[in-house]
Amino acid sequence: MRLPKIAAATAVVLLAAACGDGSGDDRPDGLTVWVMGTSQDALVEYFDGVEARFQESSPDTDVHVEFIPWPDAQESITNALAGGDAPDVIEIGNDQVAGWASQGALLDITDQVSGWDAASEMDQNALEYGTYNGVQYGVPWYSGVRTLYYRADWLGELGHEPPTTWDELVTVAEDIQEEYGVSGFGAPTDFTNGIASFIWSNGGEIAVQNGEEWEGRLTDPATVEAVEFYASLSTDGISPQGYVGENELVPLADMANGELGMYIDGGWALASMEEQAQDPAVLEDIAAAPIPGADGIAPAFAGGSALSVFSTTQQPDLAFELLTVMGDQEGGKGFADAAGFFPAYPELLESDEYQEDPNRAAAATQMQNTRFFPTTPRWTAADQDNKILPAAVLEIVRGGDAEEVLAEADEQLTAILNEPVE
């Protein structure tokens, strides 16, 4: 089935008017890139630059970019596998690499990556996250992490620095509530990314791989303690009851309107805050800091996207060449800056550009302490489809015994992660 050419914000962007010059070269007139999201002026300008760089070595090959809305990604890729229009290079969520690789959508690029100098400069954990069964199917394009948003003016008036530990988090939250009459911290229960940071910071795990089998770790004492603490933020009145059963979009609106002191979210939340703030002046008092952990900065899930070569491309070598232009330090930083994320190159995050801006500095610091979810196609089924961890937290908040709830959740998690990949 031919994918519709979506008008306006999600239109196909044709970055060059001229096609091949008829010289007889076997290179194609164009390569197609699928980018997830919607078209923006900054992104179109970025791809103009990508095409110009790419055409230095392939002057007769245009770069065609199609923006695919994230909600349509599953159907679009499935249709491409079934014989519909397909890209040569594709962006996918970094937690989706294993899933699409297992379905045959992505090309094995192990040899090409091993010979690409830029790969050694990337975040090696993020690069490893682009593998499945020991095969490289994707490389990190950009990264994004969550941080702690807080009311800097309130903390200043209270004489507090941003909290760096759980105890400090509770103290600051209680003082905010007492002084300003709003909840001090938001802890939504449908928030795996946030809950995971609490687990990891306490030395716990969600699941680990033992040989070819996955083993849930939700009954580990460190994990139980972390989940109990996170749940207690709701049961003890630190976090509003209105966030029980909700995701981070609910506290976002409250943060933007002066109804909350602190909560955890990513840099992408700032644009939403601007849209929802009834008084834009409030946003000037919102700052960011690394996520507080049990005894110091907590690890955060390193979200972001990977670049892959689609399995049906007729020009795999040329497609990988285009991938390198998009994904080297220049290309990776260019896209990250245009889209509001961070490049997947640790040394770039140490520059003044990231360290001197307070909000970017918080995320750049957080980027030095990241973790990843289980590298298995079954993680989506465990988390997005069955919401195993959020459901357990919700049940505990509603009065369930933590050890019993997590024991049952652990059995379910282990079973799902070990189901055969179709």
Side-chain angles (χ1 to χ4, degrees), residues 199-212:
I199 291 172
W200 290 329
S201 83
N202 202 42
E205 296 283 356
I206 297 172
V208 297
Q209 191 170 20
N210 185 2
E212 296 184 357

Side-chain angles (χ1 to χ4, degrees), residues 75 196 262 272 277 384:
E75 181 180 2
M262 300 178 288
S272 296
Q384 296 182 22

Side-chain angles (χ1 to χ4, degrees), residues 206-208 212-218 374 376-383 386 388 406-421:
I206 297 172
V208 297
E212 296 184 357
E213 296 293 314
W214 284 92
E215 298 176 355
R217 284 288 186 269
L218 300 184
T376 166
R378 301 301 301 162
W379 174 247
T380 298
D383 184 52
N386 288 277
I388 293 176
L406 290 172
E408 182 176 343
D410 202 54
E411 291 182 6
Q412 183 184 13
L413 176 63
T414 299
I416 290 178
L417 292 183
N418 288 302
E419 287 177 354
V421 177

Side-chain angles (χ1 to χ4, degrees), residues 181-250:
V182 302
S183 295
F185 179 72
T189 59
D190 187 7
F191 189 26
T192 298
N193 290 320
I195 299 167
S197 285
F198 284 76
I199 291 172
W200 290 329
S201 83
N202 202 42
E205 296 283 356
I206 297 172
V208 297
Q209 191 170 20
N210 185 2
E212 296 184 357
E213 296 293 314
W214 284 92
E215 298 176 355
R217 284 288 186 269
L218 300 184
T219 57
D220 182 276
T223 303
V224 174
E225 181 180 37
V227 171
E228 285 184 310
F229 175 77
Y230 190 86
S232 75
L233 295 170
S234 295
T235 56
D236 291 350
I238 301 296
S239 178
Q241 285 297 302
Y243 298 170
V244 175
E246 301 292 345
N247 60 30
E248 66 266 39
L249 294 178
V250 177

Side-chain angles (χ1 to χ4, degrees), residues 181-369:
V182 302
S183 295
F185 179 72
T189 59
D190 187 7
F191 189 26
T192 298
N193 290 320
I195 299 167
S197 285
F198 284 76
I199 291 172
W200 290 329
S201 83
N202 202 42
E205 296 283 356
I206 297 172
V208 297
Q209 191 170 20
N210 185 2
E212 296 184 357
E213 296 293 314
W214 284 92
E215 298 176 355
R217 284 288 186 269
L218 300 184
T219 57
D220 182 276
T223 303
V224 174
E225 181 180 37
V227 171
E228 285 184 310
F229 175 77
Y230 190 86
S232 75
L233 295 170
S234 295
T235 56
D236 291 350
I238 301 296
S239 178
Q241 285 297 302
Y243 298 170
V244 175
E246 301 292 345
N247 60 30
E248 66 266 39
L249 294 178
V250 177
L252 181 153
D254 288 343
M255 191 77 193
N257 289 292
E259 297 297 327
L260 184 66
M262 300 178 288
Y263 95 114
I264 295 169
D265 209 339
W268 50 87
L270 292 173
S272 296
M273 288 189 202
E274 292 175 357
E275 294 175 354
Q276 298 193 42
Q278 297 177 10
D279 179 6
V282 171
L283 302 180
E284 298 177 5
D285 294 318
I286 297 176
I291 299 171
D295 296 305
I297 295 176
F301 169 63
S305 282
L307 288 174
S308 298
V309 176
F310 205 72
S311 59
T312 60
T313 181
Q314 298 300 303
Q315 295 285 336
D317 292 336
L318 200 59
F320 185 78
E321 182 181 324
L322 175 57
L323 181 153
T324 65
V325 173
M326 295 169 59
D328 63 10
Q329 282 203 15
E330 180 180 346
K333 181 181 183 302
F335 187 85
D337 289 347
F341 292 99
F342 290 86
Y345 292 89
E347 68 176 65
L348 294 180
L349 299 177
E350 299 174 2
S351 68
D352 292 344
E353 178 181 354
Y354 295 102
Q355 295 297 332
E356 292 184 353
D357 181 315
N359 286 332
R360 297 182 86 183
T365 298
Q366 186 70 71
M367 286 287 297
Q368 306 303 314
N369 194 354

